[in-house]
Amino acid sequence: MVDFLDELEACVPALRRYARALTRNIDHADDLVQDCLVRAISRRGLFRPRGPLRPWLFAILTNLHRNDRRSARRQGAPLSLDAVPDPAVPAPQPGHMALAELARAIETLPLDQKEALLLVTLEGLAYAEAAAILDIPLGTLMSRLGRARAALRGLTGAPAEPHLRTVK
Amino acid sequence: MSMADRDTIMAYLDGELDAEARRVVEADKAAMAEIAALQRQADAIRALYDPAAAEPLPARLSPHRLALLHNRRHREGLLRAAMVVAVLGIGVAAGWLLRPVPAPASLYEHLIADAVSAHTIYTAENRHAVEVPGSEGEHLSAWLSSKLATALPMPDLSKEGFAFLGGRLLPAPALSGGRAAQLMYEDARGERLTLYLTPAAGVDGPEFELVRLGGDNALYWADARITCTIVGPQPAERLQALAGAIFPQLSPVPASAPAYREL
């Protein structure tokens, strides 16, 4: 029990980071993390897979976030990207403008691409782990990842790579 | 021109390639330029959100605290459920204690009830009212005396207008391992009367009791050896008169004039 909670605690910083990147809102992100932890605690006996906790927690948080978005859409509360304060992004200082631009670009990605991108690049998960968390085949994961990266490069004004051969 | 496709470039970037595959990609200048660009992108994403992981944890995100809260809620849920059960239990127990019957029935009351039940069941039978017919009185007497382990003469009520139909052996659930004998009589109008006889050992109660149960009257009588419950639709006075004829025949020592207690 104590071991489980200690293990859980060790995962909280990564969960906060992932939630922050998904929502770009401190309070909403921490709400998600709290819900995720409560769910993990109450279900540990039932659903906890053997092996490391981290992928399981990411899967719970991903699903909670999806549910939140669905119910927010049902309640007709569209989030205006420009209106939402962006506390996760450092104050615009010289050299940080590119980061703010990147944050906005990530925000425009479809959710499934954003999830794939964040799990692999931000959280450093292996493809197999990320695919399992999102419950998709490996090929689908790589396809989403590739499209997300290409979209970001277009949106952040990075020079197009004419010699990048895309398959499919 | 890059020879590596998008998936290979990403796999290199994300550390999914083995050493040999990496060497192949590293020989591809265009692929390495692409990888460098994607690496910068990934670095920028991490620069953007890594600080969130370095912030001190707010108390509400402490798993230990959340587990305590969860357990407390869980316990409170169990406690509530237990209280519901307890309240229901108290209600049931109160209902039982406050039931109309003021005291648990004693053994002789069970005997009276069993006598009435047996009377109701078997007097309704025509062909199977008795197990052994009254014509085999001697055999019946010997058999039942042996089963009940006490002498049981078959009272003769012909003077009172009743013919002896016969008798049967019955269980007596009220007595531990008990047996009972039922004797049946019938008058000229077809009205039936039964005697329910048991050994008296272990039965304490009044010597006489007259009870009306349903459409029948039951007159209970006991001495040191046997109990006898007379059951029939006849009026109480008639049963008392019959008892005056029955008890002296059952008991070798004639009973003194009974003083009946009305319930």
Side-chain angles (χ1 to χ4, degrees):
Chain A
M1 178 64 188
V2 171
D3 288 347
F4 171 80
L5 294 177
D6 288 342
E7 215 179 328
L8 210 55
E9 192 153 26
C11 294
V12 174
L15 289 170
R16 292 185 87 197
R17 176 174 57 203
Y18 177 54
R20 195 79 62 89
L22 280 175
T23 64
R24 298 184 72 211
N25 178 292
I26 289 182
D27 292 334
H28 186 194
D30 283 352
D31 285 349
L32 274 179
V33 173
Q34 184 175 342
D35 288 351
C36 173
L37 294 172
V38 167
R39 196 160 292 203
I41 287 166
S42 64
R43 294 185 178 181
R44 64 180 173 275
L46 290 174
F47 298 109
R48 184 194 166 175
R50 284 189 298 179
L53 270 187
R54 215 157 74 101
W56 181 55
L57 295 172
F58 277 119
I60 295 176
L61 200 143
T62 299
N63 288 327
L64 285 172
H65 177 244
R66 288 179 186 174
N67 294 343
D68 273 7
R69 297 226 329 176
R70 261 196 296 276
S71 55
R73 207 170 302 143
R74 259 200 309 277
Q75 288 159 12
L79 290 175
S80 163
L81 297 183
D82 296 328
V84 173
D86 193 0
V89 180
Q93 297 159 12
H96 283 149
M97 290 309 286
L99 287 185
E101 197 182 7
L102 176 65
R104 275 193 294 275
I106 292 172
E107 199 60 31
T108 64
L109 294 175
L111 181 59
D112 55 359
Q113 290 182 25
K114 192 160 101 176
E115 290 166 352
L117 178 76
L118 293 176
L119 287 176
V120 173
T121 59
L122 184 61
E123 300 304 331
L125 293 170
Y127 287 172
E129 277 182 315
I133 288 166
L134 299 176
D135 197 21
I136 53 175
L138 207 64
T140 307
L141 176 86
M142 294 188 73
S143 161
R144 288 180 186 176
L145 195 55
R147 276 183 282 138
R149 281 170 163 160
L152 287 188
R153 294 181 70 182
L155 288 165
T156 53
E161 305 282 338
H163 52 269
L164 177 62
R165 189 159 59 97
T166 53
V167 291
K168 281 179 267 181
Chain B
M1 196 69 172
S2 168
M3 297 304 290
D5 64 25
R6 183 199 65 177
D7 284 0
T8 307
I9 285 170
M10 286 204 308
Y12 182 95
L13 176 73
D14 296 321
E16 300 268 335
L17 293 184
D18 59 26
E20 197 186 327
R22 291 180 72 85
R23 272 196 298 277
V24 171
V25 176
E26 280 158 7
D28 185 336
K29 272 192 171 175
M32 288 312 285
E34 171 71 8
I35 286 164
L38 289 176
Q39 186 64 60
R40 282 193 297 278
Q41 187 188 73
D43 290 345
I45 293 171
R46 278 194 287 273
L48 202 49
Y49 293 110
D50 260 348
E55 291 172 14
L57 287 190
R60 70 175 178 127
L61 296 187
S62 158
H64 291 274
R65 183 171 168 276
L66 290 170
L68 279 179
L69 289 173
H70 171 77
N71 290 342
R72 192 177 307 159
R73 257 195 301 274
H74 189 62
R75 267 198 305 276
E76 281 166 3
L78 285 180
L79 197 63
R80 251 192 305 279
M83 279 175 66
V84 167
V85 169
V87 167
L88 283 177
I90 288 166
V92 168
W96 171 248
L97 290 173
L98 301 175
R99 71 195 190 282
V101 181
S106 53
L107 197 47
Y108 82 97
E109 288 172 310
H110 281 293
L111 292 179
I112 295 172
D114 291 343
V116 173
S117 296
H119 174 87
T120 306
I121 291 167
Y122 291 113
T123 55
E125 291 290 326
N126 285 323
R127 290 182 57 191
H128 306 290
V130 294
E131 200 170 7
V132 178
S135 54
E136 297 177 42
E138 276 191 23
H139 162 66
L140 186 59
S141 178
W143 176 52
L144 292 175
S145 297
S146 142
K147 290 298 171 189
L148 269 61
T150 187
L152 277 184
M154 304 291 104
D156 178 6
L157 298 181
S158 50
K159 281 182 191 162
E160 280 72 32
F162 282 88
F164 183 44
L165 296 181
R168 63 170 67 241
L169 183 68
L170 291 173
L175 304 173
S176 63
R179 296 179 170 124
Q182 186 191 51
L183 308 180
M184 195 179 297
Y185 299 82
E186 192 176 63
D187 69 8
R189 293 185 295 130
E191 283 200 316
R192 289 176 169 177
L193 184 81
T194 60
L195 309 187
Y196 187 84
L197 303 157
T198 72
V203 182
D204 54 4
E207 266 189 318
F208 303 100
E209 192 119 344
L210 184 61
V211 187
R212 182 160 188 87
L213 284 171
D216 292 310
N217 282 309
L219 195 157
Y220 169 87
W221 167 84
D223 69 6
R225 196 170 58 84
I226 55 172
T227 78
C228 173
T229 307
I230 308 169
V231 187
Q234 293 78 12
E237 299 75 17
R238 179 89 172 105
L239 283 195
Q240 287 178 23
L242 287 167
I246 293 165
F247 297 152
Q249 295 188 59
L250 283 174
S251 194
V253 181
S256 57
Y260 300 112
R261 180 155 71 92
E262 290 268 359
L263 270 191

